[in-house]
Amino acid sequence: MLTALRYRVAGQFGLTVDEAHYVLYGKIVDFSYFDHPPLVGWVQAFFQLFSLNHLLQARISAILISLLTSVLALDLLKKRGTDERHAQIAVLALNLTPMFNAMSVALLPDTLLMPLTLLIASFTEKTIERSTLSNWLLLGLWLGLAGLSKYTAGLYIAALIPIFIFRRRIKEVLNPKLWLGVVVAALVVSPVVYWNIKNDWISLKYQGDHVFSFDTSILRNLIASTLIQLISWGIGPFILTISVFCFMIFNFKKIKNYQNILIFLFVFLGFFIYIGLSTPLLPHWMLVFFVLGLPVAVAFLLDQKKYYKSLIVAISVSAVLSLLLLFELGFKIFPAESTASLYEGITGWETVMDVANEKLETIAGPKKALAVMNWTLGSRALYYNSRPTRVFVIDSRFDQFDIWAPESNLGYDLIVIVEAAKRDEHIAHLNCAQLTAIGEQQTLIKDVPVNHFLYYHCAEFSGYK
């Protein structure tokens, strides 16, 4: 039922900022990209080969990946002796969290890590139990694909080292089968290395700034990170997962069938706490922790044959909210006045770009183009632009759009699309011979305003202020 509901939701509203960005990866296939490794773009490129509605093209892969993740999570729990009914309830609890549902519709790099996290955890144990060539090669493949998905794939390596030390398998370093697995992982991830070599390692430098930069607001960042994760996963599932994880860590020696997984979770959580001190965590960043940790926590409690009432309370509130959100996005069941904020930025972009192109046609001269003032607008502007007009992203930072469009935008006559709520902020950075307001466009849902954009003619653009 959840898969059918997600399929319904997938075709009912426009692409989010990140979704549009990664669909563009699929339209402009490369060895890697400034923001992330290329696998998310390659998956998008594959599904763009099918004759589907453009929204389903962008989202059907995420729906299938969430289904695969559920199957893998169920298998992982059952192999630890969890009662099948308990395992099913644990996987259902994961499926009824807000963030898992979001990632089951929107294909992000983190979405790809959902099944890969479970596969890596599973094949780590298989390899420890039976050091066969096939197990090492498959473990190398899953690690390589994780590296093609997101740079945080290094966390899996960071977890494997203490696991093999704890299991007294250090001698595996001398095993040729291990090194063949390393070769497989290296070959799979080699496009990322090649692209970074060609581009002066800009992607790794950019990601490194995220990991190693700190500001003075450590406590504020940590509180903000915690609140964001509480909301994203639901208060009950968040507290449940963290609490059971801490209990299992303190009783580590007694919980033999989950020890390897606990080491993975310990590394994941430690890393995200570290990152959360430097910057508030985005909602999906802790996905790998909860995809592995939440089903384990629920199954562990169920197998204790107690805490049933507490467990039901912990997961029911977020489950109800998740279902209400899915039904709203799929069928618009609530009054638009109370849900308008849900659709901000994800509806009306086709019209916004069509109007911008109509206004561009009124400008004479060969050097003319459309423009937006940051990458978040740029992703949707480029994706929804149905005509072969040039679209510039005007901002102060170097990013993927500078790689896609390295030519100078100086001297162009621009139609600039500006968010009405950020009007002053945006136009303050435009250096034009003349700047003229030439119209606006509002998107309505049931006569309720959702988006409001302004159009400006920037004559002879001479740079970002």
Side-chain angles (χ1 to χ4, degrees), residues 62-119:
I63 297 171
L64 296 174
I65 287 170
S66 68
L67 192 59
L68 173 61
T69 301
S70 298
V71 172
L72 292 172
L74 188 66
D75 182 66
L76 182 140
L77 293 174
K78 287 166 62 177
K79 285 182 177 176
R80 271 151 195 78
T82 299
D83 176 81
E84 183 164 358
R85 181 169 171 271
H86 290 172
Q88 290 171 350
I89 294 171
V91 174
L92 179 62
L94 174 65
N95 274 267
L96 291 174
T97 56
M99 183 48 58
F100 188 83
N101 276 293
M103 303 302 286
S104 298
V105 175
L107 181 65
L108 275 59
D110 307 78
T111 311
L112 299 168
L113 290 181
M114 296 196 307
L116 288 171
T117 297
L118 296 164
L119 285 167

Side-chain angles (χ1 to χ4, degrees), residues 24 268 442:
L24 289 176
F268 294 158
Q442 274 198 330

Side-chain angles (χ1 to χ4, degrees), residues 147-438:
L148 275 184
S149 302
K150 199 169 181 180
Y151 288 112
T152 50
L155 291 177
Y156 302 110
I157 305 296
L160 285 173
I161 294 171
I163 287 174
F164 275 81
I165 292 173
F166 175 72
R167 293 299 182 187
R168 299 178 181 177
R169 302 298 297 272
I170 300 299
K171 290 183 180 178
E172 289 291 342
V173 173
L174 304 175
N175 187 345
K177 299 171 187 175
L178 177 151
W179 292 104
L180 287 172
V182 170
V183 169
V184 169
L187 287 173
V188 173
V189 83
S190 61
V192 180
V193 178
Y194 171 73
W195 186 92
N196 272 281
I197 290 172
K198 278 185 61 182
N199 291 277
D200 193 31
W201 303 98
I202 54 174
S203 187
L204 290 177
K205 290 175 184 177
Y206 169 71
Q207 296 296 338
D209 287 341
H210 283 292
V211 175
F212 298 112
S213 62
F214 270 81
D215 61 30
T216 57
S217 305
I218 291 177
L219 182 59
R220 184 183 67 189
N221 290 335
L222 185 59
I223 292 172
S225 296
T226 303
L227 290 175
I228 289 169
Q229 298 303 314
L230 272 169
I231 295 168
S232 302
W233 291 97
I235 295 174
F238 179 89
I239 294 174
L240 169 70
T241 306
I242 298 296
S243 300
V244 175
F245 167 74
C246 291
F247 174 83
M248 295 174 81
I249 286 291
F250 284 118
N251 294 273
F252 185 79
K253 291 184 178 179
K254 298 179 182 178
I255 306 173
K256 297 186 181 298
N257 57 337
Y258 286 113
Q259 286 174 336
N260 294 336
I261 289 176
L262 288 173
I263 294 173
F264 271 111
L265 293 174
F266 186 83
V267 171
F268 294 158
L269 185 60
F271 175 79
F272 291 122
I273 290 174
Y274 168 77
I275 294 297
L277 295 173
S278 62
T279 184
L281 296 174
L282 292 179
H284 57 277
W285 281 5
M286 286 189 67
L287 186 74
V288 293
F289 176 82
F290 284 101
V291 162
L292 191 57
L294 178 56
V296 165
V298 174
F300 178 78
L301 287 183
L302 288 171
D303 286 345
Q304 305 308 304
K305 298 182 179 178
K306 52 185 178 180
Y307 309 117
Y308 286 108
K309 291 183 180 179
S310 300
L311 189 58
I312 291 171
V313 171
I315 64 178
S316 60
V317 175
S318 67
V320 170
L321 290 175
S322 295
L323 289 172
L324 287 175
L325 182 60
L326 285 172
F327 275 101
E328 165 57 28
L329 291 172
F331 302 97
K332 294 183 175 62
I333 60 176
F334 296 113
E337 292 83 356
S338 59
T339 60
S341 60
L342 276 177
Y343 301 96
E344 185 177 342
I346 60 174
T347 187
W349 268 94
E350 296 95 335
T351 303
V352 169
M353 296 308 297
D354 286 343
V355 171
N357 275 294
E358 289 169 7
K359 294 184 180 298
L360 189 65
E361 289 175 358
T362 66
I363 297 175
K367 291 191 71 172
K368 58 183 182 179
L370 304 178
V372 291
M373 297 303 296
N374 57 49
W375 80 269
T376 64
L377 298 175
S379 292
R380 287 163 293 176
L382 278 168
Y383 176 76
Y384 284 105
N385 184 31
S386 59
R387 305 187 196 183
T389 49
R390 194 181 301 272
V391 180
F392 288 115
V393 177
I394 301 171
D395 60 9
S396 59
R397 76 169 199 165
F398 184 90
D399 57 23
Q400 183 63 48
F401 295 97
D402 296 287
I403 296 172
W404 282 334
E407 66 273 18
S408 172
N409 51 26
L410 299 181
Y412 272 81
D413 275 350
L414 301 176
I415 298 297
V416 186
I417 305 164
V418 172
E419 294 174 288
K422 299 180 180 179
R423 171 190 171 277
D424 293 340
E425 174 190 340
H426 285 180
I427 65 174
H429 294 296
L430 290 171
N431 202 349
C432 316
Q434 185 176 358
L435 184 64
T436 309
I438 56 172

